[in-house]
Amino acid sequence: MIEIELDGKKVSVNEGSMVMHAAEAAGTYIPHFCYHKKLSIAANCRMCLVDVEKAPKPMPACATPVTQGMIVRTKSDKALKAQQSVMEFLLINHPLDCPICDQGGECQLQDLAVGYGKSASRYEEEKRVVFHKEVGPLISMEEMSRCIHCTRCVRFGQEVAGQMELGMIHRGEHSEITTVVGETIDSELSGNMIDICPVGALTSKPFRYSARTWELSRRKSVSPHDSNGANLVVQVKNHQVLRVVPFENDAVNECWIADRDRFSYEAFNSDARNTTPMLKQGGQWKAVDWTSALEYVAKGLKGIAAQHGNASIGALASACSTSEELYLLGQLVRGLGSDNIDHRLRHADFRQDAGAVRWLGTSIASLSTLDRALVVGSFLRKDHPLFAQRLRQAARRGAQVTRVHALADNWLISIAAEAVGAPSEWVTLLGEIASAIAAAKGVAAPFALTAGAQAQAIAQSLLGGERKAVLLGNAAAQHPQADDLLALANWIAEQTGASVGYLGEAGNSVGAQLVGAQPQQGGLDAGQMLAQPRKAYLLFNTEPVLDAANAARAAKALAAADMVVAFSPFSANLEHADVLLPIAPFTETGGSFVNADGRVQSFHGVVRPLGDTRPGWKVLRVLGNLLGLPGFTQETVEEVRAQAYGDVATIPARLSNRTRTLARTAATPQGLQRLADVPIYATDSTVRRAPALQRTADAAASVVSVPSELWGRLGLVAGASLRITQDGASVTLPAQLDASLAANTVRVSAALSATAVLGDAFGTLAVEPA
């Protein structure tokens, strides 16, 4: 530690720290624009000039290393005059458009100009003009004349998002920030550039001109879209959500959120919302009151149970629902005598130890400090943008990231080694890695396999380092041999001293397991419920045709049902539903989610429910009462939460990734295998209806990606289309060459209407030129 004197106070900081870090430790504010605690130091703006004793001139606090006994003054005349001079230079070309600027009221330049600016300018020449840039549907660069060249956005792209989408061209007063080649900004984390811009140069395009910052109420919430559980500040005006920004929590999302978390709120203000209960009569939808709708549902469920048996009723739910809703849904189904409830719609392997709750296996924050990481079956960047960001930081510090996947897609992370194989080969590839580790340690391997060069490289990586993790992605969780992959991951982790865990699919995947939103006493899982159609389905926050592992099978099962009840904030499942019950999204109801590392995060509704929408837990409680079921007497969401979790202190002990005895369960299928990713803006019913997100490059029309060998064999050229046939159904999609895809693997996205007639996400298919 080094001790310096800062404004007369002794401050101790680590060797190598800057004066700015010492000021932060002492609680002393030094004005700045380009400095950001999560970004590298650029020392562009010079606003942080301070008076360092014995230095010939004021020094930038962000770029001046501390030395033992250094004396620093941040409020001396020398420092203040230097800061005022810098402010004068910054304002020379800045437009006088505060009254119309969206950043007004939360602008760093505006705030600091009050304290360090002059009342009049000495500059009489014409101000420079920088033309606006069109960079996509999320970020507005309409007023780039405001830019002060702090380069925060440039550094964010390089260091956090992993791709330099913005840069600076020209020199002197002609300098400007641009995408250089006129492209759009397509990063899944791009919205954070809006937050870190200290002036009004980068603003939110969906929020633009909607409200002044001082008109907005700020309320905390939690994102439901992925298992990070990002903490949010939801900003509200006139009972409408107008903006979402991050709430800083270093243990969860740091100060970042993904664009999916930031812009999905648009769906809640869109025409896609359903705000009144609806019944389908004679093929036509008719609005009814809540009493009529719920009595209709109760009567229908009683009749089906009496006529076809209790097991003829099943519930399918999204893990984007709150724990309280999922708990009451489970109580409702079990109260009717059925155990058919599941949230794992995309899964193909449902083997799971009773009572084992699968989770990340380590803390989220620890991902940033790993020395070694093996990621199995994950479209990491798009499935888990914030986890990818943490692993990117680890790699920048020297960590070795390795992976097993069906393609070498670009994670914007330096990959130390990778094993690429068709999905059916993943168990073998993990077995090879295990064999290489066994040979190095002189122990018995799970399978007698000869390790290839890539498996050897991954094994060598995992045998080094101290902090390690084996992480199973969404594709590994949804794999037909998911349990075998977990068993091998457990063996590898045990032999190398690594943690093992699932990255997690939705905002409440862990919570759904904790509160019993899957079979507990021998009921049917999601795959069985759709393969063996039930007479009645309760669909909670889900659209099975887009959310299930086999879309065609889901559509067939719903069409064969006597009653389908859809609980959703949106007009969803219109083709198959008989009843639509409008339940509140997370912004309009209280509840809790459990993120990937087992952290229970509760929140309150930030706006009142729209129209006749009702909180989902209240709808289920009233329905339970109408059915005459015991245990539906809760008055508050906190009461439901207490029943759902039991003793919260016991949750860490209930988290477990244990699995059964290792066994290879499936032979390699013949023919072409499908690899079905879920596009980032198609993961749940909310993001699918967010207008700005649906105009991004990531939401572009679906294509079919084929490996080099198949491309050549079919004689395809750029612009060609392919007819994909699976389980007797066909679709035609534009073809795209992906040289990184494993042989005999065809990538066809799931969760899209264009591919919703196809079968298993990991099934076999046939292709031919269209």
Side-chain angles (χ1 to χ4, degrees):
M1 298 291 281
I2 289 176
E3 187 175 81
I4 71 167
E5 184 181 304
L6 184 79
D7 292 339
K9 293 192 297 186
K10 299 291 185 185
V11 183
S12 294
V13 289
N14 291 323
E15 187 175 354
S17 299
M18 302 296 162
V19 171
M20 184 70 83
H21 301 141
E24 287 178 340
T28 299
Y29 177 72
I30 299 175
H32 61 272
F33 293 113
C34 69
Y35 171 77
H36 190 282
K37 63 185 177 182
K38 296 291 185 181
L39 303 176
S40 63
I41 290 167
N44 287 337
C45 71
R46 318 306 278 188
M47 191 64 210
C48 64
L49 292 176
V50 293
D51 179 7
V52 179
E53 192 167 279
K54 297 182 182 177
K57 59 182 180 180
M59 304 294 285
C62 69
T64 303
V66 295
T67 57
Q68 185 64 38
M70 175 186 274
I71 298 174
V72 180
R73 301 179 185 90
T74 67
K75 303 292 189 292
S76 67
D77 282 348
K78 185 177 179 181
L80 290 174
K81 284 180 180 175
Q83 292 163 359
Q84 288 164 357
S85 296
V86 169
M87 178 58 73
E88 186 175 13
F89 276 113
L90 286 174
L91 293 177
I92 276 177
N93 273 306
H94 201 78
L96 300 175
D97 61 352
C98 292
I100 63 155
C101 179
D102 251 20
Q103 199 85 347
E106 53 186 8
C107 172
Q108 270 182 268
L109 186 67
Q110 195 177 54
D111 293 343
L112 293 180
V114 173
Y116 299 89
K118 290 180 164 55
S119 58
S121 173
R122 292 184 283 172
Y123 187 75
E124 295 178 352
E125 289 76 15
E126 279 190 32
K127 291 179 182 282
R128 76 179 194 139
V129 174
V130 180
F131 290 109
H132 76 273
K133 318 289 191 297
E134 178 52 54
V135 293
L138 305 181
I139 297 177
S140 172
M141 295 179 74
E142 287 291 320
E143 288 91 11
M144 290 306 292
S145 297
R146 300 171 184 162
C147 178
I148 61 170
H149 306 143
C150 69
T151 69
R152 279 185 178 183
C153 56
V154 178
R155 285 175 285 144
F156 172 83
Q158 286 177 298
E159 298 163 18
V160 181
Q163 57 188 138
M164 186 176 171
E165 293 183 290
L166 289 174
M168 188 181 290
I169 58 172
H170 308 314
R171 300 182 68 184
E173 72 164 8
H174 301 294
S175 299
E176 58 181 279
I177 299 290
T178 178
T179 54
V180 183
V181 289
E183 294 182 348
T184 54
I185 296 174
D186 298 325
S187 167
E188 59 281 356
L189 297 170
S190 66
N192 294 292
M193 294 180 185
I194 299 165
D195 294 334
I196 62 176
C197 181
V199 296
L202 304 181
T203 54
S204 167
K205 194 171 276 189
F207 171 71
R208 192 172 164 79
Y209 299 140
S210 297
R212 284 300 194 179
T213 180
W214 55 83
E215 299 174 318
L216 299 170
S217 301
R218 289 163 174 76
R219 292 152 191 179
K220 284 179 63 178
S221 192
V222 180
S223 171
H225 301 303
D226 67 39
S227 57
N228 187 275
N231 291 194
L232 312 175
V233 175
V234 182
Q235 301 185 349
V236 174
K237 178 185 176 184
N238 294 336
H239 300 288
Q240 189 175 37
V241 176
L242 292 185
R243 186 165 62 169
V244 173
V245 296
F247 180 85
E248 187 170 345
N249 185 342
D250 271 350
V252 180
N253 56 297
E254 300 176 272
C255 56
W256 317 121
I257 54 175
D259 291 351
R260 180 167 55 188
D261 308 321
R262 184 183 301 272
F263 296 108
S264 63
Y265 74 88
E266 279 196 296
F268 304 143
N269 305 328
S270 73
D271 294 338
R273 285 293 298 271
N274 176 35
T275 59
T276 186
M278 308 279 282
L279 294 181
K280 188 183 283 184
Q281 296 181 342
Q284 300 295 314
W285 286 105
K286 177 186 175 185
V288 296
D289 58 68
W290 271 104
T291 302
S292 301
L294 292 176
E295 286 178 348
Y296 179 89
V297 173
K299 182 180 178 182
L301 291 176
K302 285 178 180 175
I304 288 170
Q307 186 175 353
H308 301 284
N310 299 333
S312 63
I313 297 171
L316 299 169
S318 165
C320 292
S321 310
T322 67
S323 293
E324 293 78 4
E325 292 168 337
L326 293 171
Y327 170 74
L328 286 180
L329 182 64
Q331 294 298 99
L332 183 83
V333 173
R334 293 184 180 103
L336 289 168
S338 173
D339 190 38
N340 303 334
I341 176 173
D342 211 343
H343 67 279
R344 302 165 296 175
L345 273 73
R346 296 195 197 281
H347 287 215
D349 183 356
F350 296 90
R351 293 173 291 166
Q352 184 170 341
D353 277 14
V357 175
R358 292 178 175 174
W359 68 300
L360 186 62
T362 184
S363 69
I364 289 173
S366 71
L367 298 180
S368 302
T369 62
L370 291 174
D371 298 320
R372 302 287 189 271
L374 168 60
V375 184
V376 181
S378 177
F379 296 90
L380 184 67
R381 250 184 78 197
K382 304 303 180 181
D383 289 347
H384 302 97
L386 294 172
F387 288 168
Q389 182 273 134
R390 285 197 180 268
L391 288 176
R392 193 171 296 125
Q393 301 314 311
R396 285 172 59 85
R397 295 187 184 101
Q400 293 182 10
V401 179
T402 57
R403 65 182 173 189
V404 173
H405 203 15
L407 76 168
D409 62 334
N410 187 5
W411 290 355
L412 304 175
I413 297 175
S414 177
I415 302 297
E418 60 187 339
V420 175
S424 62
E425 297 170 10
W426 290 357
V427 170
T428 301
L429 291 173
L430 276 189
E432 288 183 23
I433 295 167
S435 295
I437 291 169
K441 295 191 68 177
V443 297
F447 308 142
L449 294 171
T450 303
Q454 290 300 322
Q456 292 274 10
I458 294 172
Q460 282 301 118
S461 173
L462 287 173
L463 287 166
E466 294 182 5
R467 297 177 297 275
K468 315 172 200 181
V470 180
L471 302 168
L472 297 160
N474 291 358
Q478 297 158 6
H479 196 276
Q481 294 167 274
D483 202 59
D484 297 334
L485 293 174
L486 176 60
L488 277 165
N490 274 320
W491 190 94
I492 291 168
E494 184 181 340
Q495 295 298 321
T496 58
S499 65
V500 63
Y502 282 97
L503 291 170
E505 295 164 83
N508 201 27
S509 291
V510 175
Q513 298 172 77
L514 282 168
V515 301
Q518 58 197 53
Q520 304 287 298
Q521 295 104 26
L524 301 183
D525 56 52
Q528 292 168 329
M529 274 189 264
L530 295 174
Q532 306 162 31
R534 304 293 92 192
K535 290 297 180 180
Y537 287 101
L538 304 178
L539 308 180
F540 204 92
N541 264 333
T542 185
E543 299 168 273
V545 175
L546 298 177
D547 293 335
N550 188 315
R553 185 184 296 155
K556 190 176 178 181
L558 294 178
D562 292 346
M563 173 183 268
V564 176
V565 183
F567 301 76
S568 175
F570 306 105
S571 298
N573 301 295
L574 293 178
E575 184 179 351
H576 300 110
D578 301 291
V579 187
L580 299 182
L581 300 178
I583 59 170
F586 77 100
T587 53
E588 298 171 17
T589 184
S592 62
F593 299 133
V594 185
N595 70 355
D597 66 2
R599 183 184 303 263
V600 179
Q601 301 189 108
S602 60
F603 54 90
H604 298 287
V606 299
V607 291
R608 63 190 178 203
L610 187 65
D612 282 337
T613 299
R614 295 289 181 268
W617 71 269
K618 288 188 176 181
V619 173
L620 290 167
R621 185 200 62 192
V622 174
L623 186 54
N625 289 331
L626 288 174
L627 287 164
L629 304 177
F632 286 85
T633 58
Q634 304 89 348
E635 293 295 323
T636 65
V637 74
E638 288 79 15
E639 223 178 305
V640 184
R641 187 176 308 141
Q643 295 175 14
Y645 293 125
D647 185 358
V648 176
T650 67
I651 287 178
R654 291 149 67 186
L655 304 177
S656 169
N657 292 312
R658 67 178 183 270
T659 187
R660 296 182 175 83
T661 307
L662 189 60
R664 296 170 77 180
T665 57
T668 302
Q670 299 299 309
L672 296 175
Q673 296 175 50
R674 180 182 178 187
L675 175 69
D677 63 306
V678 178
I680 185 171
Y681 302 134
T683 50
D684 58 66
S685 57
T686 300
V687 295
R688 287 195 279 260
R689 292 169 173 81
L693 294 179
Q694 293 307 316
R695 293 195 297 271
T696 62
D698 276 317
S702 182
V703 299
V704 52
S705 299
V706 297
S708 302
E709 187 275 333
L710 181 60
W711 183 273
R713 177 152 46 94
L714 295 175
L716 300 175
V717 295
S721 292
L722 280 177
R723 181 179 292 107
I724 303 112
T725 303
Q726 188 179 21
D727 295 349
S730 297
V731 297
T732 300
L733 296 172
Q736 176 178 284
L737 172 65
D738 186 345
S740 75
L741 260 174
N744 296 321
T745 305
V746 179
R747 179 176 175 176
V748 184
S749 297
L752 302 173
S753 56
T755 60
V757 299
L758 298 178
D760 283 328
F762 290 94
T764 57
L765 43 71
V767 298
E768 59 181 342

